[in-house]
């Protein structure tokens, strides 16, 4: 498909790496493509970054038809730019689209679009340690009527934001509150889809945890509030008695690409790893008996986020004495090494422009 290019005549000044933060600064351009039942995907274009007109009855504003992705482009030492497993994001977005009755995008077309857009914006990929260009592809239902049905019109876009190092003063373990009231998702719902609605439903518990000094919540399953699901917007892993365990993908958990990559790294290294149901009782017992050796969250933004304390029903349990565990550190080093091109990528995960 032809991608029309309408480049800005007033490019912005690139920000200083120390001011980046997460998702506050955007690049010069954005990608847009429209969908209609009659024409399929059409009008692919890269245009100056800016506001988009939207009809007041647009589906997304009323019925929440929205899905998104998150991946990064990294500046290697040799100056080249590479993405991490973009095809995985493309496939996951299509799974999310199917769940929300949004149109899917042909994998080859999506990869072509990602590549073209990152090429256009590649000068925005910062080079300071730990920094990257965060890519946010998203799609929303865009019918101009209030009727409730699968959408007939949709819009797909990609925006990009240079982001700072997630850890400014070394890797800091986070404190996590185990949430036993609100739930994020239920089996049969949209938990496995990366959709905005899941986030809207999560905010209340997140705010409550924050007020009590916790950075995120650990979600339990929506039916029994007994099985561990994930933490905030990350998947979660525990090292108990020398074995890594992580909740299996039951339908209500987001299938993280970082999660999948860590499992593959562990298997290659011969470290035992199991995907299964993990009950809060089992975790509580491991915390009380001291067999919980390490715990961490994993996702694109932080890569690996060590957990230094868990709080359940008002009882606080320190993990790894509040420090980063040995395996947690090793996994962080391996993954970030591959992502920035400092370690040889024997998995074939990186995609150079
Ligand atoms: C995106 C996301 C993750 C992490 O997925 P990655 O592909 O590793 O970035 C985990 N949980 C939720 C709810 C998410 O939205």
């Amino acid at each position: 498909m032809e991608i029309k290019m309408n480049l800005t005549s007033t490019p912005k000044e690139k920000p200083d790496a120390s001011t980046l933060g997460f998702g506050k600064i955007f690049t010069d351009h954005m990608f847009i493509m429209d969908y209609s039942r009659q024409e399929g995907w059409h009008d692919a274009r890269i245009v100056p970054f800016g506001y988009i007109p939207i009809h007041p009855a647009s589906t997304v504003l009323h019925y929440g038809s929205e899905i998104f992705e998150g991946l990064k482009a990294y500046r290697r030492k040799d100056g080249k730019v590479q993405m991490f497993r973009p095809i995985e994001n493309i496939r996951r977005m299509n799974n999310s689209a199917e769940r929300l009755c949004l149109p899917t995008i042909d994998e080859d077309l999506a990869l072509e679009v990602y590549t073209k857009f990152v090429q256009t914006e590649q000068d925005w990929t910062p080079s300071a340690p730990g920094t990257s260009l965060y890519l946010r592809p998203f799609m929303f239902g865009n019918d101009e009527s209030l009727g409730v049905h699968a959408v007939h019109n949709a819009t797909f876009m990609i925006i990009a934001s240079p982001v700072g190092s997630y850890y400014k003063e070394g890797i800091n373990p986070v404190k996590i509150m185990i949430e036993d009231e609100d739930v994020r998702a239920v089996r049969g719902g949209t938990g496995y889809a990366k959709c905005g609605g899941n986030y809207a439903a999560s905010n209340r518990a997140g705010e409550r945890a924050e007020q009590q000094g916790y950075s995120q919540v650990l979600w339990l399953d929506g039916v029994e509030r007994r099985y561990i699901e994930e933490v905030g917007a990350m998947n979660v892993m525990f090292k108990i008695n020398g074995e890594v365990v992580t909740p299996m993908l039951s339908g209500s958990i987001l299938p993280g690409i970082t999660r999948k990559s860590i499992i593959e790294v562990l298997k290659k290294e011969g470290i035992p790893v199991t995907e299964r149901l993990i009950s809060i009782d089992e975790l509580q017992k491991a915390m009380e008996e001291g067999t919980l050796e390490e715990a961490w969250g994993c996702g694109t933004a932080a890569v690996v986020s060590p957990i230094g304390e868990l709080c359940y029903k008002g009882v606080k349990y320190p993990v790894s004495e509040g420090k980063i565990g040995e395996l947690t550190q090793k996994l962080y080093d391996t993954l970030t090494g591959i992502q920035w091109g400092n370690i040889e990528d024997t998995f074939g995960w990186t995609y150079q422009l």
Side-chain angles (χ1 to χ4, degrees):
M1 189 189 296
E2 190 210 347
I3 300 172
K4 282 191 217 97
M5 304 289 285
N6 169 14
L7 300 186
T8 180
S9 53
T10 52
K12 289 176 274 199
E13 191 133 345
K14 306 285 187 297
D16 186 82
S18 64
T19 63
L20 291 176
F22 182 81
K24 295 181 299 184
I25 298 165
F26 296 94
T27 64
D28 283 324
H29 301 97
M30 56 190 188
F31 175 83
I32 312 187
M33 176 164 78
D34 299 312
Y35 172 89
S36 69
R37 285 235 168 138
Q38 305 75 33
E39 293 173 273
W41 287 107
H42 61 277
D43 262 343
R45 57 204 189 271
I46 290 173
V47 299
F49 185 90
Y51 289 92
I52 51 169
I54 192 154
H55 192 279
S58 176
T59 324
V60 65
L61 298 180
H62 301 270
Y63 307 126
S65 303
E66 194 267 356
I67 57 176
F68 65 95
E69 274 303 325
L71 71 160
K72 286 171 171 176
Y74 305 85
R75 172 90 53 200
R76 297 162 50 101
K77 273 213 188 74
D78 62 10
K80 293 196 178 111
V81 171
Q82 63 188 19
M83 289 186 269
F84 185 71
R85 310 191 81 173
I87 200 74
E88 294 288 335
N89 293 90
I90 289 166
R91 289 186 183 143
R92 183 169 68 192
M93 184 150 198
N94 279 339
N95 288 337
S96 301
E98 197 276 328
R99 179 65 185 82
L100 275 91
C101 288
L102 285 162
T104 57
I105 304 178
D106 174 78
E107 283 180 18
D108 293 334
L109 170 63
L111 190 59
E112 183 190 330
V113 160
Y114 278 38
T115 308
K116 182 80 180 168
F117 181 64
V118 177
Q119 269 166 356
T120 309
E121 302 301 75
Q122 63 175 313
D123 288 352
W124 282 90
T125 315
S127 56
T131 63
S132 55
L133 184 64
Y134 183 78
L135 306 172
R136 170 53 63 89
F138 60 107
M139 188 196 295
F140 52 92
N142 205 2
D143 285 342
E144 299 180 353
S145 96
L146 295 175
V148 178
H149 46 67
V151 302
H152 295 190
N153 295 275
T155 301
F156 172 73
M157 299 183 62
I158 311 175
I159 54 176
S161 169
V163 296
S165 175
Y166 197 85
Y167 299 105
K168 280 172 199 77
E169 298 114 18
I171 304 186
N172 275 325
V174 292
K175 289 162 71 179
I176 301 291
M177 172 73 79
I178 300 175
E179 172 65 37
D180 56 4
E181 205 174 307
D182 285 2
V183 297
R184 191 190 82 95
V186 289
R187 225 173 296 169
T190 57
Y192 70 89
K194 210 168 171 74
C195 66
N198 291 342
Y199 279 73
S202 303
N203 283 338
R204 186 170 72 173
E207 285 294 305
R208 277 199 301 245
E210 216 168 280
Q211 277 160 17
Q212 296 176 64
Y214 290 81
S215 57
Q216 298 209 24
V217 301
L218 189 144
W219 298 107
L220 300 177
D221 77 277
V223 179
E224 298 181 62
R225 287 176 185 59
R226 175 154 177 240
Y227 295 103
I228 289 163
E229 298 231 308
E230 52 185 313
V231 27
M234 291 187 283
N235 294 111
V236 67
M237 297 188 175
F238 305 97
K239 182 166 171 254
I240 301 176
N241 252 335
E243 185 198 23
V244 176
V245 291
T246 190
M248 63 193 214
L249 301 177
S250 57
S252 51
I253 296 173
L254 200 286
I257 295 159
T258 318
R259 173 189 182 278
K260 181 175 178 172
S261 305
I262 289 177
I263 292 171
E264 289 172 45
V265 166
L266 289 168
K267 286 192 172 153
K268 194 161 187 176
E269 303 267 320
I271 297 165
V273 51
T274 314
E275 300 171 63
R276 61 169 170 83
L277 285 176
I278 304 164
S279 69
I280 183 64
D281 315 294
E282 177 187 350
L283 183 70
Q284 205 175 7
K285 192 157 168 275
M287 293 191 291
E288 278 162 3
E289 294 178 348
T291 52
L292 175 67
E293 294 157 3
E294 300 182 33
W296 63 88
C298 53
T300 297
V303 187
V304 169
S305 182
I307 297 173
E309 182 190 311
L310 284 159
C311 179
Y312 183 53
K313 295 196 189 293
V315 185
K316 297 172 179 180
Y317 300 91
V319 184
S320 307
E321 297 163 343
K323 300 197 211 58
I324 178 164
E326 200 182 316
L327 180 62
T328 312
Q329 179 75 54
K330 189 178 159 173
L331 289 167
Y332 178 80
D333 293 342
T334 305
L335 247 70
T336 54
I338 294 172
Q339 287 165 338
W340 272 278
N342 298 323
I343 295 182
E344 192 199 345
D345 173 17
T346 53
F347 295 93
W349 287 339
T350 50
Y351 185 88
Q352 271 193 45
L353 293 190

